[in-house]
Amino acid sequence: MSLKLFDLAGKTALITGSSRGLGRAMAEGMAECGARIVLNGVNEERLEIAAGEMRAQGHDVISAPFDVADEAAVVAAFEKLDADGVAVDILVNNAGIQFRKPMLELETMDWQRVIDVNLTAAFVISREAARRMAKRGQGNIINIGSLLSELGRATVTPYAAAKGGIRMLTRNMAAEWGELGIRSNAIGPGYMATEMNTAMIENEEFNDWVKRRTPMRRWGKPEELVGTAIYLA
């Protein structure tokens, strides 16, 4: 997809979990379309490296280091953006973690950690962004779902529950916020070759299974998600 078809000049996009992986790819794609980028991550050192690399390419990048699962930190981050005169036009809720364990062995604390990062954080961040977007009468929110928003698979129950929640959260955002000028959409990527999936890629049996069930007989690439995200933005 040619990025020349889309113009995000004058827009500011906040992408959570964007120091690497899918988030970084989407941040770079939107930057190439002219958007100012607010990079987010919990690892400040890695975040600054990513921001520096993008600035070296000529992109306008702001760093926003905060833990998406920390509500107070999220609120403080938006207040800082307000103080700096930065209005978020596009929000991409991308940050997520995975935890693999059979349900009979799953501890409640591990379940809750995944739900907090993958689902509750998307609600809190979207709420803060939408409060500001509503005052301006426009804004775009893009939630990153998964194949597991629709399907079940053993050993990843917290992740699947969270991504199923993302599906319905997005529908309710659209139902409540559409009349305020806020568009809400979700993207459900397939199996992507990212750092989070390294263990599965290196598992020969699982790797073969993914390739057999995928028409192109390979894992997806982060850059292949970029065009969809930019289109929705």
Side-chain angles (χ1 to χ4, degrees), residues 7 68 92 98 101 119 125 145 163 187 233:
D7 183 8
V68 297
V92 182
Q98 179 62 283
K101 183 168 283 191
L119 179 57
I125 295 169
K163 292 303 183 181
I187 302 174

Side-chain angles (χ1 to χ4, degrees), residues 117-134:
V117 173
N118 292 17
L119 179 57
T120 305
F123 159 70
V124 172
I125 295 169
S126 295
R127 182 194 65 200
E128 293 305 307
R131 283 173 172 169
R132 293 156 172 84
M133 291 174 178

